[in-house]
Amino acid sequence: MKQIKTVGVLTGGGDCPGLNAVIRSIVKAGNACGLTTLGIKNGFGGLVNNEWTQLTAQDVSGILPRGGTILGTTNRDNPFHFPVADHEYADLSARAVTNLQQRGVEALIVIGGDGSLRIADEFRQKYNLAVIAVPKTIDNDLPGTERTFGFDTAISIAMEALDRLHTTAESHHRVMILEVMGRYAGWIALHAGVAGGADCILLPEIPFRISSVINKVRERQQQEKMFSIAVVAEGARLTGGSPVVARIVDGSPDRIRLGGIGNQLAQAVEEEGRIETRCTVLGHLQRGGSPTAYDRILATRYGVAAVNAVQDGEFGCMMALKNNRIVRVPIEQVAGKPANIPLDDDLIRAARAIGVCFGD
Amino acid sequence: MKQIKTVGVLTGGGDCPGLNAVIRSIVKAGNACGLTTLGIKNGFGGLVNNEWTQLTAQDVSGILPRGGTILGTTNRDNPFHFPVADHEYADLSARAVTNLQQRGVEALIVIGGDGSLRIADEFRQKYNLAVIAVPKTIDNDLPGTERTFGFDTAISIAMEALDRLHTTAESHHRVMILEVMGRYAGWIALHAGVAGGADCILLPEIPFRISSVINKVRERQQQEKMFSIAVVAEGARLTGGSPVVARIVDGSPDRIRLGGIGNQLAQAVEEEGRIETRCTVLGHLQRGGSPTAYDRILATRYGVAAVNAVQDGEFGCMMALKNNRIVRVPIEQVAGKPANIPLDDDLIRAARAIGVCFGD
Amino acid sequence: MKQIKTVGVLTGGGDCPGLNAVIRSIVKAGNACGLTTLGIKNGFGGLVNNEWTQLTAQDVSGILPRGGTILGTTNRDNPFHFPVADHEYADLSARAVTNLQQRGVEALIVIGGDGSLRIADEFRQKYNLAVIAVPKTIDNDLPGTERTFGFDTAISIAMEALDRLHTTAESHHRVMILEVMGRYAGWIALHAGVAGGADCILLPEIPFRISSVINKVRERQQQEKMFSIAVVAEGARLTGGSPVVARIVDGSPDRIRLGGIGNQLAQAVEEEGRIETRCTVLGHLQRGGSPTAYDRILATRYGVAAVNAVQDGEFGCMMALKNNRIVRVPIEQVAGKPANIPLDDDLIRAARAIGVCFGD
Amino acid sequence: MKQIKTVGVLTGGGDCPGLNAVIRSIVKAGNACGLTTLGIKNGFGGLVNNEWTQLTAQDVSGILPRGGTILGTTNRDNPFHFPVADHEYADLSARAVTNLQQRGVEALIVIGGDGSLRIADEFRQKYNLAVIAVPKTIDNDLPGTERTFGFDTAISIAMEALDRLHTTAESHHRVMILEVMGRYAGWIALHAGVAGGADCILLPEIPFRISSVINKVRERQQQEKMFSIAVVAEGARLTGGSPVVARIVDGSPDRIRLGGIGNQLAQAVEEEGRIETRCTVLGHLQRGGSPTAYDRILATRYGVAAVNAVQDGEFGCMMALKNNRIVRVPIEQVAGKPANIPLDDDLIRAARAIGVCFGD
């Protein structure tokens, strides 16, 4: 097996706390074993456009605690379907491969989510490119790994938001709703909800009834707890699949208050439950800022594991956390298969045991 | 002058970090000089409904770091215009005064914002009630005082949000917009914007042009700073007074994305400036949670000052911070007169000096 | 199997973030299945002294985010060797058991560390008491479980401290040393060190040479990194077992600056390495304050699992985290057997791979 | 008046949150009015050694939230008494001035504390150097200004530490002592103590009795508050001026536990008061890390004001906060005159009013 001398690194998809920690770890571990690391800027778009940057020990000094990515990122720009003009796309993947070859890059480490994994896998299949993936998403919805980095930071931020809303809910005897990310999977809502002591947690995995939420609020009022907290994932849906908004508009289109599920839910609870209700949408605050200790450690481990895989000449794999160890799983087994929370998940059961309402 | 033996305390208006610190300070300072403090629950509504709670040293133990108010609050329920049925109101102020008298309460300390100040002043005028006010608003828009408690916490939270958005803006080469509170006055936007290094700060006090914002973004791009951060107060308005939404909807009502000024601005900047733009609405996160050191100290001082005023028998006044001392100003001079940022404010000038764009 | 109706709960040993979260979870899960929970105050001492408190849903409302324990704790007061006078002890364990019986307590949940586990096990052996343990220690040094709650919070606090020290080290071109807890096991030092980007991590498990630390500092200086950060567990020791202080005092007893390993190390590095060096001892700051999301979730799961064990009538076991599930391990297998970091631990290897010096 | 074209900037003395914010503000405000800013590295030492760095808009991008100083600093290296060999010093001030002239630097902005102010003033007197000072110290003990930047961050960190210690003190029924900085002035102890709800605050300005501290602890125990919190400035002293340690050692030198005032006090309270007592020394944690919103704003204003003074050609002055405005005070009036807390300080009086014990 020929020893690899130069590796390229790129970050793809949405911002995620810990990206810099992975980059730093790859560069430091690479340095220690004679591997040169080249940075590709702005995700797969930069690979097509030939945007490079050096990554020496000096370049990664001090970036461990910083959010974002020094390489830049984008959640567009698929080389196999690349925007070349307005509404016009072309396959520029060959150009991307040529760019790698001209720099002498023998392996490519992709730090990204599901979209990036799929592109990486296509490069592997079509060009036999030596790719290694590091799973990145604040949503924790990648299969094959127990945790993605960025998730712990996201739930920490959401929990702090719940702590703040708690004091206001209690002072005002209100229902406070926090809408968090999670279009298809409710990991953030579930974990943040338990950590923040939410009374209701609404997930894409469990269709909910507004009446269940209101019943929970009333049950608490009967126990002299005059306020309630709900966390709702942006992808949560009513039973039957009807959007919440339909319940609201009836006959009075001028009363439509558009917005995401959180705001719709707030309006419905306020009107049907006759209790003052407010919604906050956490939005981008979940994905920026300094990573938690947990995420910095996990990201560091992932980076070292990626370099180890390069040294072992094992490609086409994604680094994954399994039973507290970093293992390698084939990218093709995980790409394109988002991981939902199983309905018998331990934490869902624990939450139900302490009385959390899931709206069902 | 007859020495007062029993004082009532209530908190009114929106939640605000530091309310508990004021309550604790009043109870502790009162205890030390033989004053009994009775708590009225849920603001002026509780005064009408005769909801009382004792406030001993034990009751206020450990509440200093906690957000919210142990007394509960509400931003409705004016005794002079009290909701008695759906859409029906009555003047129940006499009942409120009777309730105070029956408990032997000789003076009332009102911790609240402009709405509470006006009610307190009406009690003073109509019933000669001995009232003392402590200025509370995260918006810092009360006249007569340099600072209200809660404001420092609000700008700290907004600054942390900006720090988070900063990393994402930089990684994605985006414009990130943060909408903060401030319907009539832009204190939070101004201070948070400077603390968070915003490139544009849009205030109710300074009507703005979208073209100014876009020019600032472009100016930065020419300096190789591919991202920008804007803070916008919810009450900011375009020059000419036209709402931003008007610029967006033209001819295509189905493209309306309703929402506050922040989301409207984001859409306008993205479409007219052709740069990816995202908005986050901070909302209730600004008013909950543990107060900062600054606010805890200020709140503690206000509470002591209120007790001192009771001891001095000086009523009808609001505690105010002036040149680092707590002074007393007549409530009638401040009630109903929200304080905007003067256009020659030192911080606006300093911000302009370092290149911040105010949209004008 | 007779269904248990009343359970007692106590917290023992040093303060630990998440204690309240476990208590809340036990009470809430107990309530839901008809179990009455009685609180014993101040650890095993309160069991001897018959100090009880009720634990209703109301009592545990709002305690999830709070550090400390509403039950009080102590790290003395073993009922089998109870202080009855100055330097005089007696076995009062029978009295403790009587106290439990008189209240109708059929099972005892002990939330504590190794000391508490041993006492619990002694009650089980001598009185056949139905005990269940929840593993608590910020040090993470209990066997049988992958994580104790409180540990994630401790490393988060230590990491934040390292982030602060980092800026000062860099500005002053200094070596900054942080001494963290860990008398026998270095889990906090290892994890906080990796999360905080420490250059040297000194553990009880790996005896160190001062020359190794100084060499690391010099290696960094040659790479133009004029500062270094070291984390040292309080139980770290020099190779050969000689205390650091011995190297310092020779011939000049008046120059002795006593103190823990951190201060001794600082003095040695400064004198032998001729580089300005400062030490901070984190101390009690590691064990107070609001728990992280991770710890709140883990603590909640432990509490539910303890109630489940009560319902299942399975006693003499400690709840443990194993491969992301909560399992039951016999207390006798874990009590009295502190868990060190194995030398081939994944994180030690990852840290070595990115160049961290362990002093060996 | 000739318009100045090039200004030098240095940071001197101990690390302080907000240094980077001042540097950024000077560079940005300077840029806007055509002023070139040159950075001098590592304080006055760098001025002697001719260490320069450019300071463009790009160099200061992103430094606002970062602790430390990108220029480096030192609290040694006085050009008028410069270390040239071991224990040997020379006056190299002329060389420093030559270095400035050779770079075309017409004015020098010194961001520093009392030591730096004195050096700046000596340059002004001996060389007629155009100097401007920005007051920096976490201790807030500079005269002429109401606030130095860095102070608000220091008290915020100390307050968070007190919040943590609070939970442990309460859980363990202990006295917890926090030793904070303040050798000659107790500003940090006073403000952090009030913000953190300390029961005792011991300042250099008010000599204390151990019996007063113990009496306060006992008074609280009688009110069923079984724990107490004390904040002690490192420079606090017993009445009569005798060091605390003298009370401890008597007759038993082997029992000496050396350490600062905090540890001595803890030992004395534990032994004489017979209550478990622990001390934490906050140390360097007070001066590192990201500045608070308050400090970032103040630092930004100071930087702009310094540039304004350069433009106005007014030198020999320090920027100062007075009644919420930034004014200029002659350096000679403030250098060498540390500012203690006046005994009739408003906050001392407010603290006494709520029952805080100052040990007198």
Side-chain angles (χ1 to χ4, degrees):
Chain A
M1 188 183 72
K2 191 180 129 287
Q3 196 62 38
I4 278 183
K5 295 218 182 89
T6 305
V7 70
V9 184
L10 65 80
T11 50
D15 191 21
C16 181
L19 284 166
N20 280 329
V22 182
I23 297 168
R24 169 183 176 270
S25 172
I26 291 171
V27 172
K28 286 197 147 200
N31 273 359
C33 61
L35 195 66
T36 297
T37 313
L38 293 182
I40 295 144
K41 294 169 78 170
N42 306 322
F44 282 107
L47 190 55
V48 170
N49 296 324
N50 221 4
E51 302 176 78
W52 298 85
T53 184
Q54 63 167 10
L55 283 176
T56 67
Q58 206 61 43
D59 296 306
V60 299
S61 181
I63 68 171
L64 176 64
R66 293 200 202 140
T69 160
I70 58 168
L71 291 176
T73 186
T74 175
N75 30 20
R76 297 160 306 175
D77 294 354
N78 179 349
F80 295 92
H81 187 72
F82 202 77
V84 288
D86 254 14
H87 306 290
E88 213 174 304
Y89 297 87
D91 181 346
L92 299 185
S93 58
R95 187 192 293 177
V97 173
T98 305
N99 289 340
L100 285 169
Q101 288 166 340
Q102 284 180 341
R103 292 273 172 161
V105 172
E106 296 154 286
L108 178 66
I109 302 177
V110 172
I111 314 170
D114 188 55
S116 302
L117 288 184
R118 278 188 276 181
I119 295 170
D121 201 44
E122 206 165 343
F123 272 115
R124 182 189 63 81
Q125 287 178 30
K126 297 212 174 136
Y127 298 95
N128 201 23
L129 193 68
V131 292
I132 285 169
V134 173
K136 171 229 66 130
T137 162
I138 62 164
D139 292 321
N140 199 43
D141 60 353
L142 283 178
T145 186
E146 288 161 6
R147 277 285 177 281
T148 53
F149 71 87
F151 175 65
D152 189 68
T153 306
I155 61 171
S156 299
I157 294 168
M159 177 195 79
E160 280 172 32
L162 287 169
D163 284 356
R164 291 194 192 287
L165 296 180
H166 205 104
T167 70
T168 300
E170 193 168 5
S171 299
H172 280 282
H173 312 315
R174 273 183 192 158
V175 176
M176 295 295 266
I177 294 171
L178 183 70
E179 181 187 306
V180 298
M181 286 185 176
R183 212 160 292 175
Y184 308 108
W187 297 99
I188 294 179
L190 174 60
H191 284 250
V194 172
D199 306 298
C200 297
I201 300 177
L202 307 177
L203 309 173
E205 289 87 350
I206 306 176
F208 71 95
R209 286 183 181 78
I210 286 176
S211 58
S212 297
V213 176
I214 292 173
N215 286 344
K216 180 69 189 174
V217 170
R218 294 214 173 114
E219 177 197 316
R220 284 176 54 84
Q221 288 175 330
Q222 279 153 19
Q223 296 161 1
E224 304 292 308
K225 294 179 181 171
M226 306 311 287
F227 68 97
S228 292
I229 305 279
V231 180
V232 55
E234 58 184 333
R237 286 289 169 265
L238 286 185
T239 50
S242 55
V244 175
V245 71
R247 304 174 60 92
I248 297 170
V249 300
D250 67 316
S252 48
D254 57 338
R255 283 174 52 242
I256 301 180
R257 246 194 282 152
L258 283 181
I261 180 76
N263 278 301
Q264 293 171 35
L265 177 65
Q267 190 168 353
V269 170
E270 178 154 318
E271 293 185 5
E272 297 182 24
R274 297 194 150 263
I275 173 163
E276 210 180 12
T277 305
R278 294 286 181 277
C279 172
T280 301
V281 180
L282 198 50
H284 284 88
L285 301 180
Q286 285 157 96
R287 48 168 82 257
S290 188
T292 59
Y294 184 96
D295 276 338
R296 294 194 202 174
I297 292 168
L298 181 58
T300 299
R301 292 175 72 188
Y302 276 140
V304 171
V307 169
N308 288 343
V310 170
Q311 289 180 290
D312 292 350
E314 191 172 335
F315 299 108
C317 57
M318 182 185 84
M319 304 301 103
L321 184 73
K322 207 155 194 172
N323 297 342
N324 282 325
R325 305 193 82 89
I326 308 290
V327 298
R328 300 165 189 168
V329 298
I331 295 178
E332 63 191 324
Q333 280 180 19
V334 292
K337 305 182 180 78
N340 289 321
I341 311 175
L343 293 186
D344 65 342
D345 180 82
D346 263 22
L347 191 53
I348 289 183
R349 291 165 66 169
R352 286 193 194 276
I354 59 169
V356 171
C357 162
F358 285 90
D360 51 354
Chain B
M1 186 184 71
K2 187 178 132 291
Q3 197 60 39
I4 279 183
K5 294 219 183 87
T6 304
V7 71
V9 183
L10 66 80
T11 50
D15 190 20
C16 181
L19 283 166
N20 280 329
V22 181
I23 296 167
R24 169 182 176 269
S25 173
I26 290 171
V27 172
K28 287 198 144 198
N31 274 0
C33 62
L35 195 66
T36 297
T37 313
L38 294 181
I40 296 143
K41 291 169 78 171
N42 306 321
F44 281 106
L47 190 56
V48 171
N49 296 325
N50 222 4
E51 302 175 80
W52 297 84
T53 185
Q54 63 168 6
L55 283 176
T56 67
Q58 206 62 43
D59 297 305
V60 299
S61 183
I63 68 171
L64 175 63
R66 293 200 201 140
T69 159
I70 58 169
L71 291 176
T73 186
T74 174
N75 29 17
R76 296 160 307 176
D77 293 354
N78 178 350
F80 294 92
H81 187 72
F82 202 77
V84 289
D86 254 13
H87 306 289
E88 214 175 303
Y89 298 87
D91 181 347
L92 301 183
S93 58
R95 184 192 296 177
V97 173
T98 306
N99 288 340
L100 285 169
Q101 287 166 342
Q102 284 180 341
R103 293 276 172 155
V105 172
E106 299 154 285
L108 177 66
I109 302 177
V110 173
I111 313 171
D114 188 55
S116 302
L117 288 184
R118 278 187 279 181
I119 295 171
D121 201 46
E122 206 164 344
F123 273 115
R124 182 189 63 81
Q125 287 178 32
K126 297 213 174 133
Y127 298 95
N128 201 23
L129 192 68
V131 292
I132 284 169
V134 172
K136 171 230 65 127
T137 162
I138 61 163
D139 293 320
N140 200 43
D141 60 351
L142 283 177
T145 185
E146 288 161 7
R147 278 286 177 279
T148 53
F149 72 86
F151 175 66
D152 190 67
T153 306
I155 61 170
S156 299
I157 295 167
M159 178 195 76
E160 281 172 30
L162 287 170
D163 284 356
R164 290 193 194 288
L165 297 180
H166 204 103
T167 71
T168 300
E170 192 168 3
S171 298
H172 280 281
H173 312 315
R174 272 182 192 158
V175 176
M176 296 295 268
I177 294 171
L178 183 71
E179 182 187 305
V180 297
M181 285 184 175
R183 211 160 295 174
Y184 308 109
W187 296 99
I188 293 179
L190 174 61
H191 284 249
V194 172
D199 306 297
C200 298
I201 300 176
L202 306 177
L203 310 172
E205 289 87 348
I206 305 177
F208 71 94
R209 287 183 179 80
I210 287 177
S211 57
S212 297
V213 175
I214 292 173
N215 287 343
K216 180 68 190 174
V217 170
R218 294 212 173 118
E219 176 196 318
R220 283 176 54 83
Q221 289 174 329
Q222 279 153 19
Q223 296 161 1
E224 305 292 308
K225 295 180 180 170
M226 305 312 287
F227 66 98
S228 292
I229 305 279
V231 181
V232 54
E234 58 185 333
R237 286 290 169 264
L238 285 185
T239 50
S242 55
V244 174
V245 70
R247 303 175 60 95
I248 298 170
V249 300
D250 65 316
S252 49
D254 56 341
R255 286 174 50 241
I256 300 181
R257 246 195 282 151
L258 282 182
I261 180 75
N263 278 301
Q264 293 171 35
L265 177 64
Q267 191 168 354
V269 170
E270 179 155 317
E271 294 186 5
E272 298 182 23
R274 299 193 148 261
I275 174 163
E276 212 182 12
T277 305
R278 296 284 181 279
C279 172
T280 301
V281 180
L282 199 49
H284 284 87
L285 301 180
Q286 285 156 97
R287 49 168 80 258
S290 187
T292 58
Y294 184 97
D295 276 338
R296 294 195 201 173
I297 293 168
L298 182 58
T300 299
R301 293 174 72 188
Y302 276 139
V304 170
V307 170
N308 287 344
V310 170
Q311 288 180 291
D312 291 350
E314 191 173 335
F315 300 108
C317 55
M318 180 186 85
M319 304 301 104
L321 183 73
K322 207 156 193 171
N323 296 341
N324 283 325
R325 305 194 82 90
I326 308 290
V327 299
R328 300 164 188 170
V329 297
I331 295 178
E332 62 189 325
Q333 280 179 19
V334 292
K337 303 181 183 80
N340 290 320
I341 312 175
L343 293 187
D344 65 341
D345 180 80
D346 264 21
L347 192 53
I348 289 184
R349 290 165 67 169
R352 287 193 193 276
I354 58 167
V356 171
C357 162
F358 285 90
D360 51 352
Chain C
M1 188 183 71
K2 188 177 132 291
Q3 196 60 39
I4 280 184
K5 295 220 184 87
T6 304
V7 70
V9 184
L10 67 80
T11 50
D15 189 20
C16 181
L19 283 166
N20 280 329
V22 182
I23 297 167
R24 168 181 176 271
S25 172
I26 291 170
V27 172
K28 287 198 144 197
N31 273 0
C33 61
L35 195 66
T36 297
T37 313
L38 293 182
I40 296 143
K41 291 168 79 171
N42 306 322
F44 282 106
L47 190 55
V48 171
N49 296 325
N50 222 3
E51 302 176 80
W52 297 84
T53 185
Q54 64 167 8
L55 283 176
T56 67
Q58 205 63 42
D59 296 306
V60 299
S61 181
I63 69 171
L64 175 63
R66 293 199 202 141
T69 159
I70 58 169
L71 291 176
T73 187
T74 174
N75 30 17
R76 297 160 308 176
D77 294 354
N78 178 349
F80 294 92
H81 187 72
F82 203 76
V84 290
D86 255 12
H87 306 288
E88 213 175 303
Y89 298 88
D91 181 347
L92 299 183
S93 57
R95 185 192 296 177
V97 173
T98 307
N99 289 340
L100 285 169
Q101 288 166 341
Q102 285 180 340
R103 292 276 173 157
V105 173
E106 298 154 283
L108 178 66
I109 302 177
V110 173
I111 313 169
D114 188 56
S116 301
L117 288 184
R118 279 188 277 182
I119 295 170
D121 200 47
E122 207 165 343
F123 273 115
R124 182 189 62 81
Q125 287 178 32
K126 297 212 174 134
Y127 298 95
N128 201 24
L129 193 68
V131 291
I132 284 169
V134 173
K136 170 228 67 123
T137 162
I138 60 163
D139 291 321
N140 199 43
D141 60 351
L142 283 178
T145 185
E146 288 161 8
R147 278 285 177 281
T148 52
F149 71 85
F151 175 66
D152 189 68
T153 306
I155 62 170
S156 298
I157 295 169
M159 177 195 78
E160 281 172 31
L162 286 170
D163 284 355
R164 290 192 193 289
L165 297 180
H166 204 102
T167 71
T168 301
E170 192 169 3
S171 299
H172 280 282
H173 312 314
R174 273 181 192 159
V175 176
M176 296 295 268
I177 294 170
L178 183 71
E179 182 187 307
V180 298
M181 285 184 175
R183 213 161 292 175
Y184 308 109
W187 297 99
I188 294 180
L190 174 60
H191 284 250
V194 172
D199 305 297
C200 298
I201 299 176
L202 306 177
L203 310 171
E205 288 87 348
I206 305 177
F208 71 95
R209 287 182 180 80
I210 286 175
S211 57
S212 297
V213 176
I214 293 173
N215 286 344
K216 180 68 189 175
V217 170
R218 293 213 174 116
E219 177 196 317
R220 284 176 53 84
Q221 290 175 329
Q222 279 153 19
Q223 295 161 1
E224 305 291 309
K225 294 178 181 172
M226 307 311 288
F227 67 97
S228 292
I229 304 279
V231 180
V232 54
E234 59 184 333
R237 285 292 169 262
L238 284 185
T239 51
S242 55
V244 174
V245 70
R247 304 175 61 93
I248 298 170
V249 300
D250 66 317
S252 50
D254 56 340
R255 286 174 51 241
I256 301 181
R257 245 195 281 151
L258 282 180
I261 180 74
N263 278 300
Q264 293 170 36
L265 177 64
Q267 191 169 353
V269 170
E270 177 153 320
E271 293 185 6
E272 297 183 24
R274 297 195 149 262
I275 173 162
E276 211 181 13
T277 306
R278 295 285 182 279
C279 172
T280 301
V281 180
L282 198 50
H284 285 88
L285 301 180
Q286 284 156 98
R287 51 168 78 258
S290 187
T292 58
Y294 184 98
D295 276 338
R296 294 195 201 174
I297 292 168
L298 182 58
T300 298
R301 292 175 70 189
Y302 276 139
V304 170
V307 169
N308 287 343
V310 170
Q311 288 180 291
D312 292 349
E314 191 173 334
F315 299 108
C317 55
M318 180 185 86
M319 305 301 104
L321 183 72
K322 208 155 192 171
N323 296 342
N324 282 327
R325 302 194 83 89
I326 307 290
V327 299
R328 300 164 188 169
V329 297
I331 295 178
E332 62 189 327
Q333 280 180 19
V334 292
K337 304 182 182 78
N340 289 321
I341 311 175
L343 294 186
D344 65 341
D345 180 82
D346 264 22
L347 191 54
I348 290 184
R349 290 165 68 170
R352 286 194 194 276
I354 58 167
V356 171
C357 163
F358 284 90
D360 51 353
Chain D
M1 188 183 70
K2 190 179 131 286
Q3 196 60 39
I4 279 183
K5 295 218 183 90
T6 305
V7 70
V9 183
L10 66 80
T11 51
D15 190 21
C16 181
L19 283 167
N20 280 329
V22 182
I23 296 168
R24 168 182 176 270
S25 172
I26 291 171
V27 172
K28 286 197 146 199
N31 273 359
C33 62
L35 195 65
T36 297
T37 313
L38 294 181
I40 295 144
K41 293 169 77 172
N42 306 321
F44 282 107
L47 190 55
V48 170
N49 296 325
N50 221 5
E51 302 176 79
W52 297 84
T53 185
Q54 62 168 9
L55 283 176
T56 67
Q58 206 62 41
D59 297 305
V60 299
S61 182
I63 68 172
L64 176 63
R66 294 200 202 140
T69 159
I70 57 169
L71 291 176
T73 185
T74 175
N75 29 20
R76 298 159 307 176
D77 294 353
N78 179 348
F80 295 92
H81 187 71
F82 202 77
V84 289
D86 254 13
H87 306 291
E88 211 174 306
Y89 298 87
D91 181 346
L92 300 184
S93 58
R95 186 192 293 178
V97 173
T98 304
N99 289 339
L100 286 169
Q101 288 166 341
Q102 284 180 340
R103 293 274 171 159
V105 173
E106 297 154 285
L108 178 65
I109 301 178
V110 172
I111 313 170
D114 189 55
S116 301
L117 288 184
R118 279 188 277 182
I119 294 170
D121 202 45
E122 207 164 342
F123 273 115
R124 182 190 62 81
Q125 286 177 32
K126 296 212 175 136
Y127 297 96
N128 200 24
L129 193 68
V131 292
I132 285 168
V134 172
K136 172 229 65 131
T137 162
I138 61 164
D139 292 320
N140 199 43
D141 61 351
L142 283 178
T145 185
E146 288 162 6
R147 277 286 177 280
T148 53
F149 70 87
F151 175 66
D152 189 67
T153 306
I155 62 171
S156 298
I157 295 168
M159 177 195 78
E160 281 172 30
L162 287 170
D163 284 356
R164 292 194 193 286
L165 298 179
H166 204 103
T167 71
T168 300
E170 191 168 5
S171 298
H172 280 282
H173 311 315
R174 273 183 192 158
V175 176
M176 296 295 267
I177 294 170
L178 182 71
E179 182 187 306
V180 297
M181 286 185 175
R183 211 160 292 174
Y184 307 107
W187 296 99
I188 294 180
L190 174 60
H191 284 250
V194 172
D199 306 297
C200 297
I201 299 176
L202 306 178
L203 310 172
E205 289 86 350
I206 305 177
F208 71 94
R209 286 183 181 78
I210 286 175
S211 57
S212 297
V213 175
I214 292 172
N215 286 345
K216 180 69 190 175
V217 170
R218 294 215 172 113
E219 177 197 316
R220 284 176 53 85
Q221 289 175 329
Q222 279 153 18
Q223 296 162 1
E224 304 291 309
K225 294 179 181 172
M226 306 311 286
F227 68 97
S228 292
I229 304 279
V231 181
V232 55
E234 59 185 333
R237 287 289 168 263
L238 286 184
T239 50
S242 54
V244 174
V245 71
R247 303 175 60 94
I248 298 169
V249 300
D250 66 317
S252 50
D254 56 340
R255 284 176 50 243
I256 300 181
R257 244 196 282 155
L258 282 181
I261 180 76
N263 278 300
Q264 293 171 36
L265 177 65
Q267 191 169 353
V269 170
E270 178 154 319
E271 294 185 6
E272 297 183 25
R274 299 193 148 262
I275 173 161
E276 211 180 12
T277 306
R278 295 286 181 278
C279 172
T280 300
V281 180
L282 198 50
H284 284 88
L285 301 179
Q286 285 156 96
R287 48 169 80 258
S290 187
T292 58
Y294 184 97
D295 275 338
R296 294 194 202 174
I297 293 168
L298 182 57
T300 299
R301 292 175 72 189
Y302 275 140
V304 170
V307 169
N308 286 343
V310 170
Q311 289 180 291
D312 292 350
E314 190 172 335
F315 300 108
C317 56
M318 182 184 85
M319 303 303 103
L321 184 72
K322 208 156 193 172
N323 296 342
N324 283 325
R325 305 193 83 90
I326 308 290
V327 299
R328 300 165 188 169
V329 297
I331 295 178
E332 63 190 325
Q333 280 180 20
V334 291
K337 305 183 182 76
N340 289 320
I341 311 175
L343 294 185
D344 65 341
D345 180 83
D346 263 22
L347 191 53
I348 290 183
R349 292 164 67 168
R352 287 194 194 276
I354 59 168
V356 171
C357 163
F358 285 89
D360 51 354

